[in-house]
Amino acid sequence: ANIELVNSLYTTFCNLTTEINSKRNKRNEITKIIKQTKLKESINELVEQARVLKDEIQKAELELGKIEKEMLQEGLKIPNDTHHEVIVGGQELAKVVKIIGTPLDSTQKRGSIIKDHMTIARELDLIDLESASNVTGTSWYYLRNAGALLELSLIQYAIHKVISKGYTPIITPDVVKTEYSDSCGFQPRDGEVSQNYYVVTSPTGSVGTGNHQETSFTLTGTAEIPLAGIYSNKIIPLSQLPIRMVGFGRSFRAEAGSRGQDTKGLYRVHQFSKVEMFCLTSPEESEEMLKEIVNIQEEIVNDLGLYYQSRRLNIRYKSPLSSSYEGTNSDAKQKQQSTEFVHTLNGTAIAVPRIIIAILENFQRDDGKISIPEVLRKWMGGMEFIE
């Protein structure tokens, strides 16, 4: 990130915008005078002045578009601030913040060899990677039988869990304009391969995948992106904050990771279902909202019995009036209010494939059956076991 360059481009952008607005106002004044003038010679002279101003405005607007594009490209390189509790350093400095759930005691542990989720899935006919590989390619999959029901039950459970906390349920589109994906930070850095699938519409109307320069649409990498887009370029009254949303959508990741033991099966795939929490708050409320999101995530892990982004989107809110302001005129009050950027917070309620892995591997029994977490059973027709 080059902060000085961004500042310089922004200054140029502001000056050019002011110049354009000034010329527009001048042209509008000339237009009014033309309507009131009766002398032909004067009208011709004024028309010529208006024409020159129009040409100057068009050239300046083209230059402004170039400046704005470069400014945004450079600005997107600037990372978000890091949370004050994040440790600076590598994985070796990571620490355990909290352990959720209770490990199995000796009486609950199985005597047989623990199977991985793909072994279990093949034995119980839950996942079909081979057919998906033929139809679509590697790192895609079919869920079958109880595997399909398990995904649907996890989605239903997560949505109902989170809306019970006051969140608005939303089913999001799986295709967004690339500008929204970029604004949420889903863009490759220098030397990295893009995680996005880009959509290209040809003159004949056919659709395919292409690179970032050829397209204006992308498949969503997470429901966070279309959820954030709902309030893009809007000013929200402070009284409406915080805004809590929970979205369900498909997530698409072009690079699913290298093939190997740690990425096989459902662990890293090109498409998966996800229930995502997304909140907008004032800066003062964001820390408490973060805690709320984490608490919900902890409840979900416990319920299942497991042991285990705003400035770019231009979403603002109106801050309270200064205490020193004593006016009564509503227009004056409106002008006295400042607009500030909201804080956006998101947290995954459930990323379906990884929870399926955890359920299959943690709840396998010696008789080959899989115990279904009690909170999911009502959405699986009352089934207690996958067998």
Side-chain angles (χ1 to χ4, degrees), residues 57-349:
I57 290 170
Q58 289 177 338
K59 290 179 182 178
E61 285 176 337
L62 288 174
E63 181 64 21
L64 183 67
K66 294 177 183 177
I67 294 294
E68 183 177 22
K69 183 177 180 180
E70 185 180 0
M71 178 179 69
L72 291 174
Q73 286 176 340
E74 292 299 324
L76 286 170
K77 296 177 183 178
I78 302 173
N80 285 334
D81 288 339
T82 304
H83 190 273
H84 60 86
E85 292 184 6
V86 173
I87 296 173
V88 178
Q91 185 66 27
E92 71 280 358
L93 296 179
K95 64 177 181 179
V96 176
V97 177
K98 192 173 185 179
I99 296 176
I100 307 301
T102 304
L104 298 175
D105 60 35
S106 58
T107 61
Q108 295 172 301
K109 292 180 179 177
R110 297 163 294 277
S112 59
I113 297 174
I114 304 299
K115 300 173 184 176
D116 67 82
H117 76 283
M118 281 310 300
T119 301
I120 296 169
R122 289 191 176 97
E123 289 178 353
L124 299 177
D125 195 18
L126 306 179
I127 302 172
D128 184 353
L129 293 178
E130 290 73 19
S131 296
S133 180
N134 292 332
V135 172
T136 312
T138 57
S139 296
W140 302 83
Y141 60 95
Y142 287 96
L143 288 178
R144 297 167 50 85
N145 301 312
L149 295 178
L150 194 55
E151 167 157 326
L152 295 174
S153 68
L154 284 166
I155 293 167
Q156 289 273 36
Y157 157 71
I159 290 287
H160 281 79
K161 178 70 175 181
V162 181
I163 65 175
S164 72
K165 306 293 184 179
Y167 286 64
T168 300
I170 298 175
I171 295 180
T172 62
D174 293 333
V175 176
V176 297
K177 293 178 182 177
T178 304
E179 64 191 82
Y180 289 97
S181 181
D182 287 350
S183 294
C184 288
F186 286 80
Q187 55 181 342
R189 298 186 185 278
D190 292 341
E192 293 183 356
V193 178
S194 174
Q195 286 284 319
N196 293 344
Y197 279 103
Y198 295 101
V199 180
V200 178
T201 304
S202 72
T204 60
S206 60
V207 176
T209 57
N211 61 39
H212 191 286
Q213 287 72 36
E214 295 175 339
T215 180
S216 58
F217 293 94
T218 181
L219 300 183
T220 56
T222 169
E224 168 195 345
I225 300 169
L227 288 174
I230 293 174
Y231 290 93
S232 176
N233 295 313
K234 295 181 180 178
I235 298 177
I236 305 165
L238 182 62
S239 60
Q240 292 183 14
L241 296 179
I243 293 173
R244 298 173 172 88
M245 298 174 280
V246 56
F248 165 71
R250 303 282 187 174
S251 299
F252 297 87
R253 307 288 171 87
E255 293 299 318
S258 59
R259 306 309 299 162
Q261 183 67 23
D262 61 336
T263 60
K264 72 174 186 175
L266 295 181
Y267 191 71
R268 290 195 183 275
V269 288
H270 288 304
Q271 174 187 326
F272 56 95
S273 299
K274 187 151 69 77
V275 176
E276 187 82 4
M277 297 176 282
F278 191 86
C279 304
L280 306 177
T281 77
S282 64
E284 294 76 19
E285 294 177 302
S286 62
E287 191 72 25
E288 284 303 309
M289 183 58 69
L290 176 61
K291 293 177 182 177
E292 176 181 300
I293 289 173
V294 172
N295 287 338
I296 294 173
Q297 292 172 324
E298 291 180 4
E299 285 186 32
I300 289 172
V301 173
N302 274 319
D303 285 355
L304 294 172
L306 298 173
Y307 176 69
Y308 279 42
Q309 331 180 13
S310 71
R311 283 178 171 83
R312 298 172 188 168
L313 289 160
N314 198 26
I315 308 173
R316 295 171 291 165
Y317 73 99
K318 287 193 178 299
S319 66
L321 293 173
S322 169
S323 58
S324 62
Y325 180 74
E326 298 178 354
T328 57
N329 182 276
S330 60
D331 291 335
K333 285 184 178 180
Q334 184 79 357
K335 290 179 181 178
Q336 286 290 323
Q337 288 180 316
S338 63
T339 54
E340 306 292 341
F341 289 105
V342 300
H343 280 198
T344 62
L345 299 96
N346 68 284
T348 299

